[in-house]
Amino acid sequence: MLPSVLRCARPVSTALALSRPLAHFRPHMDPDPSRPVERAIRTKLTDMLKPEHLEVHNESHMHAVPPGSESHFRVLVVSPMFEGLSLIQRHRLVNEALREELSSCVHALAIQAKTPEQWGSNPTLAKSPPCLGGSKGDHTMEEKLKAGRE
Amino acid sequence: MNSLIRSTARCLRAGVAVYLPGRASGPVSLAAARYLCAAADIQKDLGEMVKKDKVVVFMKGTPAQPMCGFSNAVVQILRMHGVDDYAAYNVLEDQDLRQGVKVFSNWPTIPQVYFNGEFLGGCDILLQMHQNGDLVEELKKLGIKSALLDAEKESK
């Protein structure tokens, strides 16, 4: 097998972040109606998991995808429904709620699934690791982005 | 990759028309048949792949050169625990594997970690297990002593 081509995409993602105008910035508490995927994620997680606290962060700008993409998300769900469930069981619940998005336009989903007690004792949002450019030139990624735009 | 070649060859040898059970509409096209053969083979191969080694990671890129921040996080965590000898499969090199492993694990994203043939989770879960000490315990069950235990001993 030919080795994968080395892609140094850090400069690209930095450039994207710098060129992103501030007007596009919306705090997570105020969902922008022009962001249908974020809205869908918020709605589905609310309906399925009845969270006491929910954060949906579009992290696409941190990755090698065009500005305005809705492909990479981080969600923090605090729900009593997670009581007694293992981490993997909790994550599977979240995956199930977002099955449609994950099979179409959402390429990456970072999940924190806490019970209200766990959130109370450690109310911190984890940070995603820096992108290593894997989405650049990735055909599957291009298809997902297209699905997001349609 | 070899399994894909084998499965395609098998389908071609089987003839041009492939009849699927339960399909009233007649023969499936060769392209569809090839795809189905490959997909079924991948599921079988994955069943073997996850059992062949104690620690198995499906990731983007390789441990030496991860192509994704989340995959890299898995590699770094394992490295911190002194786990360097594990099977890593690069899904970017094989689209059938990339799609197949998501079906196999019923898990929509990469990276994916298996311990002793059992699906553990992705990057988030591994990170949390590392932070709360569960990872050391899980490695112990595999007969792997985490390097962090030695580091702890040395610092005392």
Side-chain angles (χ1 to χ4, degrees), chain A residues 2 4 6 87-88 91-92 95 99 102 107 110-111 129-130 132 134 138 140, chain B residues 60 65-67 69-70 72 90 93 95 98 105-108 119 124-125 128:
Chain A
L2 291 172
S4 345
L6 231 191
L87 283 179
I88 190 165
H91 285 221
R92 284 202 187 279
N95 288 342
R99 183 173 274 272
L102 284 162
H107 170 80
I111 301 172
L132 292 180
D138 182 358
T140 311
Chain B
K60 293 183 180 173
Q65 199 155 57
M67 293 295 289
F70 299 106
N72 184 39
N90 181 1
E93 290 196 330
Q95 286 304 315
R98 184 175 184 172
S105 312
N106 190 20
W107 190 263
F119 180 59
D124 297 324
I125 290 180
Q128 284 174 72

PDB file of all heavy atoms in Angstrom, chain A residues 2 4 6 87-88 91-92 95 99 102 107 110-111 129-130 132 134 138 140, chain B residues 60 65-67 69-70 72 90 93 95 98 105-108 119 124-125 128:
ATOM      1  N   LEU A   2       0.495   2.232  -0.795  1.00  0.00           N
ATOM      2  CA  LEU A   2       1.256   3.490  -0.777  1.00  0.00           C
ATOM      3  C   LEU A   2       0.969   4.209   0.541  1.00  0.00           C
ATOM      4  O   LEU A   2      -0.145   4.210   1.012  1.00  0.00           O
ATOM      5  CB  LEU A   2       0.808   4.384  -1.931  1.00  0.00           C
ATOM      6  CG  LEU A   2       1.194   3.893  -3.320  1.00  0.00           C
ATOM      7  CD1 LEU A   2       0.509   4.760  -4.373  1.00  0.00           C
ATOM      8  CD2 LEU A   2       2.703   3.948  -3.497  1.00  0.00           C
ATOM      9  N   SER A   4       0.025   7.113   3.096  1.00  0.00           N
ATOM     10  CA  SER A   4      -0.843   8.290   2.912  1.00  0.00           C
ATOM     11  C   SER A   4       0.031   9.524   2.748  1.00  0.00           C
ATOM     12  O   SER A   4       1.094   9.635   3.332  1.00  0.00           O
ATOM     13  CB  SER A   4      -1.756   8.515   4.097  1.00  0.00           C
ATOM     14  OG  SER A   4      -1.800   7.388   4.905  1.00  0.00           O
ATOM     15  N   LEU A   6       1.505  13.067   3.263  1.00  0.00           N
ATOM     16  CA  LEU A   6       1.620  13.957   4.413  1.00  0.00           C
ATOM     17  C   LEU A   6       0.880  15.244   4.149  1.00  0.00           C
ATOM     18  O   LEU A   6       1.146  15.896   3.151  1.00  0.00           O
ATOM     19  CB  LEU A   6       3.115  14.287   4.614  1.00  0.00           C
ATOM     20  CG  LEU A   6       3.698  14.092   6.011  1.00  0.00           C
ATOM     21  CD1 LEU A   6       5.071  14.713   6.044  1.00  0.00           C
ATOM     22  CD2 LEU A   6       2.836  14.694   7.104  1.00  0.00           C
ATOM     23  N   LEU A  87     -20.355   4.886  30.523  1.00  0.00           N
ATOM     24  CA  LEU A  87     -20.006   5.922  29.541  1.00  0.00           C
ATOM     25  C   LEU A  87     -20.471   5.512  28.157  1.00  0.00           C
ATOM     26  O   LEU A  87     -21.059   6.300  27.418  1.00  0.00           O
ATOM     27  CB  LEU A  87     -18.498   6.151  29.511  1.00  0.00           C
ATOM     28  CG  LEU A  87     -17.905   6.978  30.652  1.00  0.00           C
ATOM     29  CD1 LEU A  87     -16.401   7.095  30.476  1.00  0.00           C
ATOM     30  CD2 LEU A  87     -18.534   8.372  30.686  1.00  0.00           C
ATOM     31  N   ILE A  88     -20.204   4.259  27.809  1.00  0.00           N
ATOM     32  CA  ILE A  88     -20.529   3.850  26.449  1.00  0.00           C
ATOM     33  C   ILE A  88     -22.040   3.795  26.228  1.00  0.00           C
ATOM     34  O   ILE A  88     -22.532   4.169  25.159  1.00  0.00           O
ATOM     35  CB  ILE A  88     -19.825   2.521  26.079  1.00  0.00           C
ATOM     36  CG1 ILE A  88     -19.973   2.262  24.589  1.00  0.00           C
ATOM     37  CG2 ILE A  88     -20.328   1.366  26.880  1.00  0.00           C
ATOM     38  CD1 ILE A  88     -19.049   1.206  24.052  1.00  0.00           C
ATOM     39  N   HIS A  91     -23.086   7.392  25.689  1.00  0.00           N
ATOM     40  CA  HIS A  91     -22.704   7.886  24.363  1.00  0.00           C
ATOM     41  C   HIS A  91     -23.578   7.275  23.274  1.00  0.00           C
ATOM     42  O   HIS A  91     -23.915   7.935  22.290  1.00  0.00           O
ATOM     43  CB  HIS A  91     -21.225   7.606  24.098  1.00  0.00           C
ATOM     44  CG  HIS A  91     -20.311   8.507  24.849  1.00  0.00           C
ATOM     45  ND1 HIS A  91     -19.171   9.062  24.298  1.00  0.00           N
ATOM     46  CD2 HIS A  91     -20.369   8.982  26.113  1.00  0.00           C
ATOM     47  CE1 HIS A  91     -18.563   9.820  25.203  1.00  0.00           C
ATOM     48  NE2 HIS A  91     -19.271   9.790  26.308  1.00  0.00           N
ATOM     49  N   ARG A  92     -23.946   6.004  23.472  1.00  0.00           N
ATOM     50  CA  ARG A  92     -24.805   5.350  22.471  1.00  0.00           C
ATOM     51  C   ARG A  92     -26.178   6.023  22.421  1.00  0.00           C
ATOM     52  O   ARG A  92     -26.799   6.126  21.369  1.00  0.00           O
ATOM     53  CB  ARG A  92     -24.952   3.856  22.758  1.00  0.00           C
ATOM     54  CG  ARG A  92     -23.716   3.043  22.366  1.00  0.00           C
ATOM     55  CD  ARG A  92     -24.055   1.585  22.140  1.00  0.00           C
ATOM     56  NE  ARG A  92     -22.933   0.716  21.922  1.00  0.00           N
ATOM     57  CZ  ARG A  92     -22.284   0.567  20.758  1.00  0.00           C
ATOM     58  NH1 ARG A  92     -22.652   1.266  19.700  1.00  0.00           N
ATOM     59  NH2 ARG A  92     -21.270  -0.263  20.642  1.00  0.00           N
ATOM     60  N   ASN A  95     -25.643   9.107  20.408  1.00  0.00           N
ATOM     61  CA  ASN A  95     -25.479   8.718  18.997  1.00  0.00           C
ATOM     62  C   ASN A  95     -26.825   8.373  18.372  1.00  0.00           C
ATOM     63  O   ASN A  95     -27.112   8.731  17.231  1.00  0.00           O
ATOM     64  CB  ASN A  95     -24.567   7.488  18.865  1.00  0.00           C
ATOM     65  CG  ASN A  95     -23.113   7.806  19.148  1.00  0.00           C
ATOM     66  OD1 ASN A  95     -22.712   8.966  19.116  1.00  0.00           O
ATOM     67  ND2 ASN A  95     -22.336   6.782  19.421  1.00  0.00           N
ATOM     68  N   ARG A  99     -28.690  10.011  15.095  1.00  0.00           N
ATOM     69  CA  ARG A  99     -28.350   9.034  14.050  1.00  0.00           C
ATOM     70  C   ARG A  99     -28.412   9.630  12.644  1.00  0.00           C
ATOM     71  O   ARG A  99     -27.524   9.419  11.831  1.00  0.00           O
ATOM     72  CB  ARG A  99     -29.311   7.848  14.158  1.00  0.00           C
ATOM     73  CG  ARG A  99     -29.038   6.737  13.201  1.00  0.00           C
ATOM     74  CD  ARG A  99     -29.916   5.532  13.480  1.00  0.00           C
ATOM     75  NE  ARG A  99     -29.342   4.650  14.483  1.00  0.00           N
ATOM     76  CZ  ARG A  99     -28.494   3.644  14.203  1.00  0.00           C
ATOM     77  NH1 ARG A  99     -28.148   3.418  12.967  1.00  0.00           N
ATOM     78  NH2 ARG A  99     -27.997   2.894  15.154  1.00  0.00           N
ATOM     79  N   LEU A 102     -25.540  12.097  12.044  1.00  0.00           N
ATOM     80  CA  LEU A 102     -24.250  11.407  11.983  1.00  0.00           C
ATOM     81  C   LEU A 102     -24.087  10.599  10.711  1.00  0.00           C
ATOM     82  O   LEU A 102     -22.972  10.340  10.275  1.00  0.00           O
ATOM     83  CB  LEU A 102     -24.085  10.501  13.211  1.00  0.00           C
ATOM     84  CG  LEU A 102     -23.740  11.268  14.487  1.00  0.00           C
ATOM     85  CD1 LEU A 102     -24.022  10.419  15.712  1.00  0.00           C
ATOM     86  CD2 LEU A 102     -22.273  11.675  14.479  1.00  0.00           C
ATOM     87  N   HIS A 107     -19.603  14.883  10.783  1.00  0.00           N
ATOM     88  CA  HIS A 107     -18.426  14.028  10.581  1.00  0.00           C
ATOM     89  C   HIS A 107     -17.773  13.654  11.893  1.00  0.00           C
ATOM     90  O   HIS A 107     -17.205  12.582  12.045  1.00  0.00           O
ATOM     91  CB  HIS A 107     -17.473  14.810   9.693  1.00  0.00           C
ATOM     92  CG  HIS A 107     -16.137  14.228   9.555  1.00  0.00           C
ATOM     93  ND1 HIS A 107     -15.881  13.188   8.699  1.00  0.00           N
ATOM     94  CD2 HIS A 107     -14.959  14.522  10.141  1.00  0.00           C
ATOM     95  CE1 HIS A 107     -14.611  12.895   8.761  1.00  0.00           C
ATOM     96  NE2 HIS A 107     -14.022  13.666   9.622  1.00  0.00           N
ATOM     97  N   ALA A 110     -17.942  15.121  19.424  1.00  0.00           N
ATOM     98  CA  ALA A 110     -17.316  14.908  20.726  1.00  0.00           C
ATOM     99  C   ALA A 110     -18.426  14.984  21.762  1.00  0.00           C
ATOM    100  O   ALA A 110     -19.258  15.889  21.730  1.00  0.00           O
ATOM    101  CB  ALA A 110     -16.266  15.984  20.979  1.00  0.00           C
ATOM    102  N   ILE A 111     -18.437  14.026  22.666  1.00  0.00           N
ATOM    103  CA  ILE A 111     -19.554  13.936  23.617  1.00  0.00           C
ATOM    104  C   ILE A 111     -19.068  13.973  25.062  1.00  0.00           C
ATOM    105  O   ILE A 111     -18.121  13.274  25.431  1.00  0.00           O
ATOM    106  CB  ILE A 111     -20.328  12.610  23.423  1.00  0.00           C
ATOM    107  CG1 ILE A 111     -20.878  12.501  21.999  1.00  0.00           C
ATOM    108  CG2 ILE A 111     -21.466  12.486  24.426  1.00  0.00           C
ATOM    109  CD1 ILE A 111     -21.483  11.138  21.680  1.00  0.00           C
ATOM    110  N   PRO A 129      -8.969  18.245  20.853  1.00  0.00           N
ATOM    111  CA  PRO A 129      -7.562  18.328  20.474  1.00  0.00           C
ATOM    112  C   PRO A 129      -7.411  19.082  19.149  1.00  0.00           C
ATOM    113  O   PRO A 129      -8.374  19.172  18.382  1.00  0.00           O
ATOM    114  CB  PRO A 129      -7.148  16.859  20.300  1.00  0.00           C
ATOM    115  CG  PRO A 129      -8.421  16.138  20.033  1.00  0.00           C
ATOM    116  CD  PRO A 129      -9.504  16.887  20.733  1.00  0.00           C
ATOM    117  N   PRO A 130      -6.209  19.612  18.879  1.00  0.00           N
ATOM    118  CA  PRO A 130      -6.016  20.349  17.625  1.00  0.00           C
ATOM    119  C   PRO A 130      -6.173  19.434  16.419  1.00  0.00           C
ATOM    120  O   PRO A 130      -5.823  18.261  16.466  1.00  0.00           O
ATOM    121  CB  PRO A 130      -4.579  20.867  17.723  1.00  0.00           C
ATOM    122  CG  PRO A 130      -3.936  20.083  18.811  1.00  0.00           C
ATOM    123  CD  PRO A 130      -5.001  19.579  19.713  1.00  0.00           C
ATOM    124  N   LEU A 132      -5.561  17.684  12.908  1.00  0.00           N
ATOM    125  CA  LEU A 132      -4.345  17.306  12.190  1.00  0.00           C
ATOM    126  C   LEU A 132      -4.629  17.220  10.698  1.00  0.00           C
ATOM    127  O   LEU A 132      -3.920  16.546   9.965  1.00  0.00           O
ATOM    128  CB  LEU A 132      -3.803  15.974  12.741  1.00  0.00           C
ATOM    129  CG  LEU A 132      -3.277  16.058  14.172  1.00  0.00           C
ATOM    130  CD1 LEU A 132      -2.772  14.701  14.635  1.00  0.00           C
ATOM    131  CD2 LEU A 132      -2.150  17.080  14.288  1.00  0.00           C
ATOM    132  N   GLY A 134      -6.984  15.872   8.816  1.00  0.00           N
ATOM    133  CA  GLY A 134      -7.450  14.665   8.144  1.00  0.00           C
ATOM    134  C   GLY A 134      -8.608  14.865   7.188  1.00  0.00           C
ATOM    135  O   GLY A 134      -8.796  14.098   6.260  1.00  0.00           O
ATOM    136  N   ASP A 138     -10.408  14.715   1.738  1.00  0.00           N
ATOM    137  CA  ASP A 138     -11.080  13.471   2.084  1.00  0.00           C
ATOM    138  C   ASP A 138     -12.411  13.419   1.345  1.00  0.00           C
ATOM    139  O   ASP A 138     -13.285  14.228   1.601  1.00  0.00           O
ATOM    140  CB  ASP A 138     -11.269  13.456   3.609  1.00  0.00           C
ATOM    141  CG  ASP A 138     -11.925  12.178   4.107  1.00  0.00           C
ATOM    142  OD1 ASP A 138     -12.270  11.319   3.267  1.00  0.00           O
ATOM    143  OD2 ASP A 138     -12.089  12.040   5.316  1.00  0.00           O
ATOM    144  N   THR A 140     -14.939  11.361   1.498  1.00  0.00           N
ATOM    145  CA  THR A 140     -16.104  11.153   2.357  1.00  0.00           C
ATOM    146  C   THR A 140     -16.508  12.471   2.994  1.00  0.00           C
ATOM    147  O   THR A 140     -17.687  12.778   3.143  1.00  0.00           O
ATOM    148  CB  THR A 140     -15.777  10.137   3.464  1.00  0.00           C
ATOM    149  OG1 THR A 140     -15.172   9.003   2.873  1.00  0.00           O
ATOM    150  CG2 THR A 140     -17.011   9.724   4.214  1.00  0.00           C
TER     151      THR A 140
ATOM    152  N   LYS B  60      -7.593   7.342  12.050  1.00  0.00           N
ATOM    153  CA  LYS B  60      -7.240   8.018  10.800  1.00  0.00           C
ATOM    154  C   LYS B  60      -5.744   8.275  10.853  1.00  0.00           C
ATOM    155  O   LYS B  60      -5.255   8.983  11.734  1.00  0.00           O
ATOM    156  CB  LYS B  60      -7.998   9.328  10.683  1.00  0.00           C
ATOM    157  CG  LYS B  60      -9.484   9.113  10.526  1.00  0.00           C
ATOM    158  CD  LYS B  60     -10.197  10.419  10.343  1.00  0.00           C
ATOM    159  CE  LYS B  60     -11.683  10.168  10.200  1.00  0.00           C
ATOM    160  NZ  LYS B  60     -12.423  11.416  10.183  1.00  0.00           N
ATOM    161  N   GLN B  65       1.956   8.642  12.557  1.00  0.00           N
ATOM    162  CA  GLN B  65       1.509   9.857  11.871  1.00  0.00           C
ATOM    163  C   GLN B  65      -0.020   9.931  11.846  1.00  0.00           C
ATOM    164  O   GLN B  65      -0.650   9.690  10.807  1.00  0.00           O
ATOM    165  CB  GLN B  65       2.030   9.828  10.440  1.00  0.00           C
ATOM    166  CG  GLN B  65       2.033  11.175   9.783  1.00  0.00           C
ATOM    167  CD  GLN B  65       3.081  11.202   8.676  1.00  0.00           C
ATOM    168  OE1 GLN B  65       3.058  10.398   7.750  1.00  0.00           O
ATOM    169  NE2 GLN B  65       4.007  12.109   8.805  1.00  0.00           N
ATOM    170  N   PRO B  66      -0.609  10.290  12.989  1.00  0.00           N
ATOM    171  CA  PRO B  66      -2.074  10.389  13.001  1.00  0.00           C
ATOM    172  C   PRO B  66      -2.541  11.529  12.111  1.00  0.00           C
ATOM    173  O   PRO B  66      -1.877  12.563  12.002  1.00  0.00           O
ATOM    174  CB  PRO B  66      -2.384  10.697  14.477  1.00  0.00           C
ATOM    175  CG  PRO B  66      -1.144  10.363  15.235  1.00  0.00           C
ATOM    176  CD  PRO B  66      -0.009  10.563  14.288  1.00  0.00           C
ATOM    177  N   MET B  67      -3.703  11.343  11.457  1.00  0.00           N
ATOM    178  CA  MET B  67      -4.226  12.364  10.551  1.00  0.00           C
ATOM    179  C   MET B  67      -5.454  13.047  11.123  1.00  0.00           C
ATOM    180  O   MET B  67      -6.219  13.684  10.397  1.00  0.00           O
ATOM    181  CB  MET B  67      -4.574  11.722   9.198  1.00  0.00           C
ATOM    182  CG  MET B  67      -3.364  11.223   8.443  1.00  0.00           C
ATOM    183  SD  MET B  67      -2.265  12.587   7.968  1.00  0.00           S
ATOM    184  CE  MET B  67      -3.263  13.366   6.705  1.00  0.00           C
ATOM    185  N   GLY B  69      -6.974  14.869  14.984  1.00  0.00           N
ATOM    186  CA  GLY B  69      -6.689  15.204  16.375  1.00  0.00           C
ATOM    187  C   GLY B  69      -7.245  14.198  17.364  1.00  0.00           C
ATOM    188  O   GLY B  69      -6.611  13.869  18.371  1.00  0.00           O
ATOM    189  N   PHE B  70      -8.428  13.665  17.091  1.00  0.00           N
ATOM    190  CA  PHE B  70      -9.052  12.715  18.018  1.00  0.00           C
ATOM    191  C   PHE B  70      -8.316  11.372  17.981  1.00  0.00           C
ATOM    192  O   PHE B  70      -8.094  10.749  19.008  1.00  0.00           O
ATOM    193  CB  PHE B  70     -10.534  12.526  17.682  1.00  0.00           C
ATOM    194  CG  PHE B  70     -11.338  13.802  17.783  1.00  0.00           C
ATOM    195  CD1 PHE B  70     -11.778  14.465  16.643  1.00  0.00           C
ATOM    196  CD2 PHE B  70     -11.627  14.361  19.014  1.00  0.00           C
ATOM    197  CE1 PHE B  70     -12.490  15.653  16.727  1.00  0.00           C
ATOM    198  CE2 PHE B  70     -12.352  15.550  19.114  1.00  0.00           C
ATOM    199  CZ  PHE B  70     -12.786  16.195  17.968  1.00  0.00           C
ATOM    200  N   ASN B  72      -5.208  11.063  17.193  1.00  0.00           N
ATOM    201  CA  ASN B  72      -3.932  11.356  17.845  1.00  0.00           C
ATOM    202  C   ASN B  72      -4.071  11.286  19.364  1.00  0.00           C
ATOM    203  O   ASN B  72      -3.188  10.769  20.050  1.00  0.00           O
ATOM    204  CB  ASN B  72      -3.424  12.732  17.427  1.00  0.00           C
ATOM    205  CG  ASN B  72      -2.060  13.036  18.010  1.00  0.00           C
ATOM    206  OD1 ASN B  72      -1.197  12.165  18.081  1.00  0.00           O
ATOM    207  ND2 ASN B  72      -1.867  14.258  18.466  1.00  0.00           N
ATOM    208  N   ASN B  90      -5.663   1.910   9.709  1.00  0.00           N
ATOM    209  CA  ASN B  90      -5.873   3.239   9.148  1.00  0.00           C
ATOM    210  C   ASN B  90      -7.080   3.234   8.211  1.00  0.00           C
ATOM    211  O   ASN B  90      -7.004   2.723   7.093  1.00  0.00           O
ATOM    212  CB  ASN B  90      -4.598   3.665   8.392  1.00  0.00           C
ATOM    213  CG  ASN B  90      -4.716   5.053   7.805  1.00  0.00           C
ATOM    214  OD1 ASN B  90      -5.733   5.733   7.972  1.00  0.00           O
ATOM    215  ND2 ASN B  90      -3.668   5.484   7.124  1.00  0.00           N
ATOM    216  N   GLU B  93      -7.105   4.568   4.485  1.00  0.00           N
ATOM    217  CA  GLU B  93      -6.552   3.782   3.370  1.00  0.00           C
ATOM    218  C   GLU B  93      -7.569   2.831   2.774  1.00  0.00           C
ATOM    219  O   GLU B  93      -7.307   2.217   1.748  1.00  0.00           O
ATOM    220  CB  GLU B  93      -5.360   2.969   3.871  1.00  0.00           C
ATOM    221  CG  GLU B  93      -4.153   3.830   4.191  1.00  0.00           C
ATOM    222  CD  GLU B  93      -2.884   3.007   4.306  1.00  0.00           C
ATOM    223  OE1 GLU B  93      -2.985   1.835   4.704  1.00  0.00           O
ATOM    224  OE2 GLU B  93      -1.819   3.553   3.992  1.00  0.00           O
ATOM    225  N   GLN B  95     -11.779   2.579   2.300  1.00  0.00           N
ATOM    226  CA  GLN B  95     -13.125   3.110   2.520  1.00  0.00           C
ATOM    227  C   GLN B  95     -14.096   2.030   2.963  1.00  0.00           C
ATOM    228  O   GLN B  95     -15.043   2.310   3.712  1.00  0.00           O
ATOM    229  CB  GLN B  95     -13.650   3.803   1.246  1.00  0.00           C
ATOM    230  CG  GLN B  95     -13.011   5.149   0.975  1.00  0.00           C
ATOM    231  CD  GLN B  95     -13.159   6.131   2.132  1.00  0.00           C
ATOM    232  OE1 GLN B  95     -14.225   6.280   2.720  1.00  0.00           O
ATOM    233  NE2 GLN B  95     -12.079   6.804   2.496  1.00  0.00           N
ATOM    234  N   ARG B  98     -13.491   1.682   6.570  1.00  0.00           N
ATOM    235  CA  ARG B  98     -13.989   2.884   7.244  1.00  0.00           C
ATOM    236  C   ARG B  98     -15.495   2.780   7.462  1.00  0.00           C
ATOM    237  O   ARG B  98     -15.998   3.059   8.557  1.00  0.00           O
ATOM    238  CB  ARG B  98     -13.669   4.100   6.393  1.00  0.00           C
ATOM    239  CG  ARG B  98     -14.050   5.411   7.042  1.00  0.00           C
ATOM    240  CD  ARG B  98     -13.585   6.557   6.171  1.00  0.00           C
ATOM    241  NE  ARG B  98     -13.861   7.826   6.802  1.00  0.00           N
ATOM    242  CZ  ARG B  98     -13.427   8.984   6.322  1.00  0.00           C
ATOM    243  NH1 ARG B  98     -12.679   9.005   5.236  1.00  0.00           N
ATOM    244  NH2 ARG B  98     -13.730  10.108   6.935  1.00  0.00           N
ATOM    245  N   SER B 105     -19.324  -1.870  14.745  1.00  0.00           N
ATOM    246  CA  SER B 105     -19.372  -1.406  16.131  1.00  0.00           C
ATOM    247  C   SER B 105     -20.694  -0.721  16.462  1.00  0.00           C
ATOM    248  O   SER B 105     -20.962  -0.425  17.628  1.00  0.00           O
ATOM    249  CB  SER B 105     -18.243  -0.397  16.387  1.00  0.00           C
ATOM    250  OG  SER B 105     -17.023  -0.880  15.911  1.00  0.00           O
ATOM    251  N   ASN B 106     -21.482  -0.433  15.440  1.00  0.00           N
ATOM    252  CA  ASN B 106     -22.667   0.417  15.599  1.00  0.00           C
ATOM    253  C   ASN B 106     -22.251   1.721  16.280  1.00  0.00           C
ATOM    254  O   ASN B 106     -22.801   2.131  17.309  1.00  0.00           O
ATOM    255  CB  ASN B 106     -23.767  -0.295  16.397  1.00  0.00           C
ATOM    256  CG  ASN B 106     -25.086   0.479  16.365  1.00  0.00           C
ATOM    257  OD1 ASN B 106     -25.297   1.320  15.479  1.00  0.00           O
ATOM    258  ND2 ASN B 106     -25.943   0.252  17.327  1.00  0.00           N
ATOM    259  N   TRP B 107     -21.242   2.326  15.694  1.00  0.00           N
ATOM    260  CA  TRP B 107     -20.651   3.546  16.263  1.00  0.00           C
ATOM    261  C   TRP B 107     -20.289   4.439  15.100  1.00  0.00           C
ATOM    262  O   TRP B 107     -19.597   3.999  14.195  1.00  0.00           O
ATOM    263  CB  TRP B 107     -19.411   3.162  17.078  1.00  0.00           C
ATOM    264  CG  TRP B 107     -18.850   4.253  17.905  1.00  0.00           C
ATOM    265  CD1 TRP B 107     -17.818   5.093  17.605  1.00  0.00           C
ATOM    266  CD2 TRP B 107     -19.268   4.613  19.230  1.00  0.00           C
ATOM    267  NE1 TRP B 107     -17.585   5.946  18.639  1.00  0.00           N
ATOM    268  CE2 TRP B 107     -18.457   5.672  19.655  1.00  0.00           C
ATOM    269  CE3 TRP B 107     -20.258   4.139  20.104  1.00  0.00           C
ATOM    270  CZ2 TRP B 107     -18.604   6.272  20.903  1.00  0.00           C
ATOM    271  CZ3 TRP B 107     -20.388   4.723  21.342  1.00  0.00           C
ATOM    272  CH2 TRP B 107     -19.569   5.772  21.729  1.00  0.00           C
ATOM    273  N   PRO B 108     -20.739   5.694  15.123  1.00  0.00           N
ATOM    274  CA  PRO B 108     -20.670   6.493  13.898  1.00  0.00           C
ATOM    275  C   PRO B 108     -19.342   7.194  13.602  1.00  0.00           C
ATOM    276  O   PRO B 108     -19.205   7.797  12.538  1.00  0.00           O
ATOM    277  CB  PRO B 108     -21.748   7.557  14.145  1.00  0.00           C
ATOM    278  CG  PRO B 108     -21.765   7.719  15.627  1.00  0.00           C
ATOM    279  CD  PRO B 108     -21.441   6.387  16.214  1.00  0.00           C
ATOM    280  N   PHE B 119     -15.714  -3.678  22.280  1.00  0.00           N
ATOM    281  CA  PHE B 119     -15.659  -2.263  21.940  1.00  0.00           C
ATOM    282  C   PHE B 119     -15.663  -1.409  23.199  1.00  0.00           C
ATOM    283  O   PHE B 119     -16.528  -1.541  24.055  1.00  0.00           O
ATOM    284  CB  PHE B 119     -16.839  -1.914  21.035  1.00  0.00           C
ATOM    285  CG  PHE B 119     -16.868  -0.474  20.627  1.00  0.00           C
ATOM    286  CD1 PHE B 119     -15.800   0.079  19.928  1.00  0.00           C
ATOM    287  CD2 PHE B 119     -17.941   0.343  20.931  1.00  0.00           C
ATOM    288  CE1 PHE B 119     -15.809   1.406  19.541  1.00  0.00           C
ATOM    289  CE2 PHE B 119     -17.964   1.670  20.546  1.00  0.00           C
ATOM    290  CZ  PHE B 119     -16.894   2.204  19.846  1.00  0.00           C
ATOM    291  N   ASP B 124     -13.363  10.281  23.370  1.00  0.00           N
ATOM    292  CA  ASP B 124     -13.919  10.875  24.597  1.00  0.00           C
ATOM    293  C   ASP B 124     -13.907   9.888  25.740  1.00  0.00           C
ATOM    294  O   ASP B 124     -13.535  10.198  26.868  1.00  0.00           O
ATOM    295  CB  ASP B 124     -15.377  11.319  24.375  1.00  0.00           C
ATOM    296  CG  ASP B 124     -15.498  12.404  23.340  1.00  0.00           C
ATOM    297  OD1 ASP B 124     -14.597  13.259  23.282  1.00  0.00           O
ATOM    298  OD2 ASP B 124     -16.483  12.383  22.586  1.00  0.00           O
ATOM    299  N   ILE B 125     -14.357   8.662  25.445  1.00  0.00           N
ATOM    300  CA  ILE B 125     -14.458   7.647  26.494  1.00  0.00           C
ATOM    301  C   ILE B 125     -13.074   7.256  26.988  1.00  0.00           C
ATOM    302  O   ILE B 125     -12.841   7.154  28.189  1.00  0.00           O
ATOM    303  CB  ILE B 125     -15.263   6.424  25.992  1.00  0.00           C
ATOM    304  CG1 ILE B 125     -16.735   6.823  25.844  1.00  0.00           C
ATOM    305  CG2 ILE B 125     -15.102   5.234  26.927  1.00  0.00           C
ATOM    306  CD1 ILE B 125     -17.656   5.727  25.365  1.00  0.00           C
ATOM    307  N   GLN B 128     -11.774   9.993  29.230  1.00  0.00           N
ATOM    308  CA  GLN B 128     -12.385  10.007  30.548  1.00  0.00           C
ATOM    309  C   GLN B 128     -11.923   8.836  31.407  1.00  0.00           C
ATOM    310  O   GLN B 128     -11.708   8.981  32.609  1.00  0.00           O
ATOM    311  CB  GLN B 128     -13.918  10.014  30.416  1.00  0.00           C
ATOM    312  CG  GLN B 128     -14.424  11.409  30.010  1.00  0.00           C
ATOM    313  CD  GLN B 128     -15.915  11.441  29.735  1.00  0.00           C
ATOM    314  OE1 GLN B 128     -16.724  11.354  30.642  1.00  0.00           O
ATOM    315  NE2 GLN B 128     -16.273  11.551  28.487  1.00  0.00           N
TER     316      GLN B 128
END
